[in-house]
Amino acid sequence: MQWKGYSLNPFQIEAAHAIEAGKNVLLAAPTGSGKTLVAEYAIEHAVKNGRRAIYTSPIKALSNQKFRDFKSAGQRVGLMTGDLTLDPDAPIVIMTTEIFRNAVFEDPARFHDTDFAIFDEVHFVDDVDRGTVWEESLIFAPAHVRFIGLSATIANLHEFGSWIRSIRAQELAVIEHTRRPVPLAHRLFHPDAGVFQLAQRPRAITFHERARAREQSKGLRVGRRERERGRWGDKRERGQGRRLTVGPRPYVMLLDEVQHRQLLPCLYFCFSRKECEIKAERSMGRRLLDRAERARMQTLFEDVCARFELDPAADPGLHGILGRALQGVGYHHAGMLPIHKEVVERLFTSGLLRLLFTTETFALGINMPARTVVFDLLRKFDGVQMDYMKSRDYLQMAGRAGRQGIDKSGLVIAILEDEDLADAPLSRYHSGKVEPITSRFNLSYSTILNLYDRLGGPGLLDAYDRSFAAFQAQKGSASARAKKRGAARAALLARIQILRDAGYVEDKALLPRGRVAQRINGYEIQATELLWSGVLDQMDLHQLAATFTALIHEERRRAEPRSHRRIPGPLMNSASEAVRRFVAIELLHGVEQTIKEPDWGIAAAVDCWSRGGTVEDLERLAHTDAGDVVRTLRMAIQMMRQVRTTVGKGQQLAARLDEAVVAINRDVVDAKRQFELG
């Protein structure tokens, strides 16, 4: 079967036939195997028949990339990410999954001519924080909308498919493809054993034990902590005790070999932003580009800066990016300014950036493969402790190894610490077997209010019974199933009672407070409590900007929390007290994870920014990465716009909210300007 000049492979043909037959499609296939072609086939099918198609993704960067892809193909396409709304009535609209779910509740009529909703990375159903959004979208979307679910490998794909069959009217084709177009070769590295295969693990352990015995026989005090310091070479070196030199750091030894064997370009995954920066700086001496390549890199960098109207001379961050890039080195993480990340991505796609140190966010969706992938650690901080990562996470990142049409195979190397030799679940990683996805269904107050308005209390309880959580709870004995169902319904009834006690709902309808919260997506309870308290009416534009960012901002979970805290002022205290009214009601009902209270940690930075401060001021006063602050400011802008719409034109508060948005939506924060330039 030929389509758009491509010879479709069997799984793509099966999907195309299912689309033509009026079915939903659930497709699991490895990264780079051609899943997107199935989405494009469904989109063309819809548009050809005078219908619309919606493409949803979990992150804004992926939505933006898809928009550009469709636009460059000459198609009329819209974009809705919260940051940006461009041509929302186009026959093809790219949006984040949250925007899709919100539209399902707020304006289901807008889907009257929609044929397909494509869910990219549908395994995000398993995401602890956001998975429920995927479930709500699948459950509550209008009955005529068909779904194309795209995912990497899912262990319980058929269980997930059976659930979708139970909630959607159309037939479902479940398609699984396991062969990668560019196969992966997995290797391990330990400084005492070099690079080795999993089958050689016992031999590597023997080499390590001999090395330790030699060290002890020479009287060297090289315990695990000292070895770690020798490896990391950052703040751990400043810990107590004398640092003992144990030869080159393991990552240096490995990168020497990767470079020598001409296995570049390489994506080097770290689970610490600081480690990305440190290792990139320490790799500057590698000189991975020759003179001609350096000249091409310089020209490319200047072209990218010209396109985005950037001035490297006035931006130390850009100057640093160029300095590293001229050596073929870079780093990329979520704490960077969005425009700086964009520049690094453009440089990487050129193939001239040979060694990129990055966090796991680089692996999600954005198609930027390399010859080799290296893991700095197999354990990461999960907010509570260091633990081995999931197989799904490992494979998502490992899947970036191997460039189609260039490499015969992709190489994946994991650097092992001493205890990893015996303890790491290496067989699980190398086998390609992933964990089954689990429902994270947990109706938000916003969803409860929307469903309560449409279905009432009994209908809301029935909504739980349609969830993937309820479907998975059907395992086990009849009494166990009844117990799970009873517990879930009790939790839902408790949340309805909280809303009743807080004055959001009554027996059969929403109260004015509930109507307001229903129209706000994200932090809807906090915003409603602030509106009802009257504290927002007392604030000027700078205080409004600081307050809405405080609702969103949350100190990053880290092993070593920072100690700085700003003492809140009177209006800040009043805002916090307004939110605590609802928190107190939750606590009375035994809720452990209450709604988030305002965090004023970046209030001083936001106040300075709203008065015309610089990016340097922003980073200095926030005591955190500028990229995090910019992301929070962009979310605050979305929220202020929603509240302004809810308040209505002609109100003083609405006018001040407009002023606050204008004050902070400039320069690096202005997502629309960055997007349009790029």
Side-chain angles (χ1 to χ4, degrees), residues 24-28 122 125 138 147 149 151 154-176 437 466 468 471-472:
N24 294 313
V25 174
L26 177 61
L27 168 62
V122 74
V125 161
L138 287 161
F147 281 90
S151 175
I154 296 178
N156 53 338
L157 180 69
H158 291 279
E159 179 193 32
F160 187 54
S162 296
W163 170 67
I164 292 175
R165 286 191 184 100
S166 73
I167 58 165
R168 303 303 303 176
Q170 302 87 352
E171 287 185 52
L172 172 73
V174 177
I175 303 168
E176 189 168 18
I437 57 174
R466 298 178 66 197
F468 189 37
F471 189 87
Q472 290 190 310

Side-chain angles (χ1 to χ4, degrees), residues 71 83 158 179 239 267 306 394 474 489 514-515 557:
K71 195 85 172 171
D83 286 347
H158 291 279
R179 193 168 60 83
L267 282 175
Y394 172 89
Q474 289 173 9
R489 285 185 159 229
R515 293 277 175 212
R557 290 180 295 181

Side-chain angles (χ1 to χ4, degrees), residues 72 93 111 145 193 347-348 373 408 524 555 584 587 654:
S72 64
V93 181
F111 299 105
V145 175
L347 299 182
F348 186 75
V373 160
K408 289 182 179 177
E524 61 281 342
E555 185 81 14
L587 292 171

Side-chain angles (χ1 to χ4, degrees), residues 426-474:
L426 302 175
S427 300
R428 181 155 51 88
Y429 295 149
H430 289 201
S431 69
K433 292 178 181 175
V434 297
E435 302 80 8
I437 57 174
T438 304
S439 173
R440 306 296 180 177
F441 195 67
N442 180 24
L443 292 176
S444 66
Y445 286 118
S446 174
T447 302
I448 290 171
L449 289 167
N450 275 292
L451 293 178
Y452 194 87
D453 190 31
R454 285 164 51 190
L455 308 172
L460 191 52
L461 292 172
D462 291 340
Y464 163 75
D465 291 336
R466 298 178 66 197
S467 71
F468 189 37
F471 189 87
Q472 290 190 310
Q474 289 173 9

Side-chain angles (χ1 to χ4, degrees), residues 176-212:
E176 189 168 18
H177 178 71
T178 55
R179 193 168 60 83
R180 281 179 54 89
V182 183
L184 294 181
H186 296 269
R187 298 290 184 269
L188 305 159
F189 174 81
H190 187 277
D192 295 334
V195 176
F196 61 97
Q197 297 185 38
L198 180 58
Q200 298 169 307
R201 189 180 196 173
R203 184 164 163 251
I205 292 172
T206 302
F207 283 149
H208 169 57
E209 288 170 347
R210 287 176 184 169
R212 288 191 67 182

